[in-house]
Amino acid sequence: MKDYWEEPDVKSKQINTRKIILSVIICIFLVAMIVIVALYITNNEFRNWIDVQIFRKEILQDGVTTIELDESETSNIYAFNKYIGILSKNKLKVYSSNGEETTNLEVQITNPLFDSANRFLAIGESNGQKVYVIEDKDVIWESEVEGNIAKVYVNKNGYVAVIMTGMSHKSGVQVFDPEGNSLFISFLSSTMAVDVSISNDNKYLAIAEVDTSGSIIQSNIRIISIETAKTDPSNSVEKNYKSEQNKLLVNIAYQDKNKIVCMYTDTMNVIENDQERVVFDNKDKKIIAQSIELTNHLVSIQEEASGIFSANSVVNIMNMDSNHTQNYTVETSVKELYTKGDIIALNLGTEVEFINTGGWLVKRYIASQEVSNITVSDNIAGIIYRDKVEIINL
């Protein structure tokens, strides 16, 4: 009887030993993962090693897909959605991320102004009348405006606004729906429209206007009800936000919850709940570049001295929902800034770093020559040279 009762105790001990060993291994693995994640977040050198060696985020110039350009032709290159568009001789050639030409569109424009959002691309003739809108890879409508086009804008739902000059009024804004129907024209008699934005719910048009006719610069943001303007443009203005005197308004952008982000030469502000407040002040800072052309974020790059003859560039990325600012530092001066959607492209000379609005590296491109021009969307970027375009998949 004694032997009978002792055998299960041995088995029980063996099972408990296995459980203990397994638990220890799991604990070691979890601790190791926590340490690795912590190092990745806090240690720049470790994060760079992981990005390059493990995630393969660093790419060299000789390892990317290339689109050859005819140097004898003037080519205008623009990244939109997941494509690279090259406009030359009234033809828009659309290339996929692997460099294959997917379509060839007839576009009667020689000096283009581009804008894109979501799957839409708007093209206007600078100082001309023609406007085209492309959805994915097809022209869905074209039209002509009565003034000279100064800027085109398209929101993520396909609504288009065109700033015009050269009319009886000082400037005007014409709005089209996604089918190309003209909804209304808003005329500005004494001010110049410098930028426009349409809310994500398609209900409001914001016009950034500047009056420089007097000794004092006066900026203003006019909010128009699109629904009212369709039938009664003269009574469609819902709000006017008058800026402080001598503040020069440069850009505006609607973001979620009908927030309007405003970029002045000296501050970046937000209009929310009918109140305008400063969210970033340039005073006493060496600002290299700024942008509000991001999804629910803004970015400001500040240069800070790191030595007697050296400087770092600190990229401040502010989330407009939480008001939290994320920093990303590069150990050199940023030459140019490009933004679209969730992507921030930093031209560092012979390198380009693509980061997202969370402050994480997406791709690092290393060239053997100076990078002079970049075009970027949420999904794809083009490094533009005189004789070629190199494609970076993001």
Side-chain angles (χ1 to χ4, degrees), residues 105-324:
L105 305 173
E106 185 77 21
V107 177
Q108 295 296 321
I109 288 179
T110 56
N111 190 18
L113 297 168
F114 294 105
D115 191 41
S116 64
N118 198 2
R119 63 188 185 276
F120 298 99
L121 170 66
I123 311 174
E125 179 72 67
S126 180
N127 293 316
Q129 286 73 48
K130 280 277 192 181
V131 181
Y132 289 81
V133 173
I134 294 161
E135 184 178 3
D136 197 31
K137 296 181 292 182
D138 299 308
V139 176
I140 57 173
W141 62 264
E142 62 179 275
S143 186
E144 290 192 11
V145 298
E146 61 180 75
N148 298 322
I149 298 172
K151 188 166 188 174
V152 293
Y153 165 87
V154 61
N155 82 346
K156 67 177 186 178
N157 302 311
Y159 281 77
V160 172
V162 181
I163 297 178
M164 303 168 294
T165 60
M167 305 174 294
S168 56
H169 294 76
K170 195 161 187 179
S171 62
V173 178
Q174 187 166 358
V175 176
F176 298 86
D177 69 13
E179 286 72 46
N181 302 308
S182 178
L183 300 181
F184 63 91
I185 302 177
S186 180
F187 294 104
L188 308 179
S189 58
S190 60
T191 59
M192 181 64 67
V194 295
D195 199 13
V196 289
S197 186
I198 297 173
S199 61
N200 292 335
D201 60 10
N202 314 314
K203 291 182 178 180
Y204 302 103
L205 167 72
I207 303 175
E209 47 187 308
V210 176
D211 184 357
T212 57
S213 59
S215 58
I216 296 173
I217 295 173
Q218 183 60 61
S219 298
N220 185 67
I221 300 168
R222 183 182 307 206
I223 310 299
I224 293 175
S225 166
I226 291 178
E227 189 62 35
T228 304
K230 292 178 185 177
T231 56
D232 191 8
S234 59
N235 293 310
S236 62
V237 177
E238 295 219 343
K239 296 283 183 180
N240 264 309
Y241 297 97
K242 194 173 182 179
S243 305
E244 296 176 20
Q245 291 182 344
N246 283 326
K247 281 183 72 71
L248 181 59
L249 186 58
V250 180
N251 293 112
I252 57 172
Y254 260 112
Q255 300 195 349
D256 286 347
K257 301 176 183 177
N258 284 341
K259 294 178 183 178
I260 304 174
V261 182
C262 317
M263 188 165 80
Y264 296 89
T265 52
D266 59 345
T267 64
M268 289 194 285
N269 297 4
V270 64
I271 297 174
E272 184 180 11
N273 299 323
D274 294 333
Q275 298 293 322
E276 183 172 356
R277 60 183 173 88
V278 176
V279 293
F280 195 91
D281 194 337
N282 297 348
K283 186 179 179 181
D284 299 326
K285 300 180 180 73
K286 187 176 181 180
I287 302 300
I288 302 173
Q290 294 179 314
S291 175
I292 59 174
E293 299 297 323
L294 289 163
T295 303
N296 295 322
H297 289 77
L298 58 80
V299 59
S300 181
I301 304 178
Q302 180 180 349
E303 189 171 274
E304 295 181 350
S306 58
I308 299 176
F309 302 108
S310 61
N312 292 336
S313 296
V314 180
V315 184
N316 301 294
I317 308 163
M318 178 175 283
N319 185 315
M320 299 310 298
D321 287 332
S322 65
N323 291 322
H324 172 72

